[in-house]
Amino acid sequence: MITVLGSTKLSFMFPTDRETAYQYYLDMGRIVQFLPHISMVSANGSHFYRLAYETVELGAYHIRILCDVEAVHDASYELLRFQPVELSPDVPAKAGFNSAVTRGFYRSESYFVSEGEQTRIEYSLQLHADLPTPIALKVVPGSVLNKIAQNITNWRIKEIAGGFIEGSIAYFPQWLHENQFRIS
């Protein structure tokens, strides 16, 4: 098994009040588009989602990690969390010659803090999985694979978080225009 574990914490300013920012980020179906390498597989109601982290690493290894999450939010518009849960059907770990699929754990937390007419968002992102070793990598010692996986995962998590912040801020004016009547 290859241990995939990465996390990051970032803070950024969002160009609106806290309640509007919170409503914008509440919809996982919309915001997942801003997470590079992560896509929506399915939604079960408005609080449970199956996400897929997919990437090709080192130009040859196809990695797919399926993560089930639950949206947890509060009425004070301060904390929004997408935390791991286990939904059906199960995701059996499987390795091919140059591919691997498994169930993993995705977690993100966003704290919303009013800063005048803007909102400061303290954002953290975590991904963890035990990935079966692709057959082509069985000759590489486990400690070497884990070190490589750690470096790649840390880089990918920072790429995902940065892309998420940039993409979600860029799309906000369009969302605001389309939803002006709902938040007035």
Side-chain angles (χ1 to χ4, degrees), residues 2-158:
I2 301 170
T3 300
V4 174
L5 178 61
S7 65
T8 191
K9 291 181 182 182
L10 299 168
S11 179
F12 64 99
M13 295 302 292
F14 197 74
T16 192
D17 63 275
R18 186 175 72 195
E19 184 176 342
T20 304
Y22 193 92
Q23 291 299 322
Y24 177 69
Y25 283 104
L26 185 59
D27 183 357
M28 175 59 90
R30 176 184 46 256
I31 66 167
V32 73
Q33 69 181 312
F34 307 121
L35 294 162
H37 306 289
I38 296 178
S39 62
M40 177 78 67
V41 175
S42 62
N44 184 356
S46 62
H47 294 347
F48 296 97
Y49 308 93
R50 177 162 282 176
L51 306 176
Y53 166 81
E54 297 182 81
T55 185
V56 176
E57 297 302 351
L58 304 174
Y61 299 99
H62 300 264
I63 306 302
R64 188 166 200 239
I65 301 171
L66 295 169
C67 303
D68 298 328
V69 298
E70 172 186 18
V72 178
H73 51 90
D74 64 17
S76 65
Y77 305 107
E78 291 179 355
L79 174 64
L80 175 58
R81 178 181 300 134
F82 291 97
Q83 66 187 21
V85 294
E86 292 193 22
L87 303 176
S88 293
D90 192 19
V91 180
K94 181 172 61 173
F97 181 75
N98 66 340
S99 64
V101 176
T102 194
R103 179 188 297 253
F105 302 96
Y106 170 98
R107 174 187 306 274
S108 68
E109 291 185 356
S110 300
Y111 291 95
F112 296 78
V113 180
S114 293
E115 297 272 344
E117 294 181 7
Q118 296 189 57
T119 302
R120 180 172 38 88
I121 301 175
E122 302 290 335
Y123 176 68
S124 66
L125 175 64
Q126 229 176 12
L127 180 68
H128 174 258
D130 290 319
L131 196 63
T133 305
I135 296 166
L137 293 174
K138 294 260 187 208
V139 297
V140 180
S143 61
V144 173
L145 283 178
N146 281 326
K147 182 67 175 166
I148 292 169
Q150 183 67 38
N151 289 338
I152 290 171
T153 304
N154 281 332
W155 181 73
R156 287 287 185 215
I157 290 297
K158 288 179 177 143

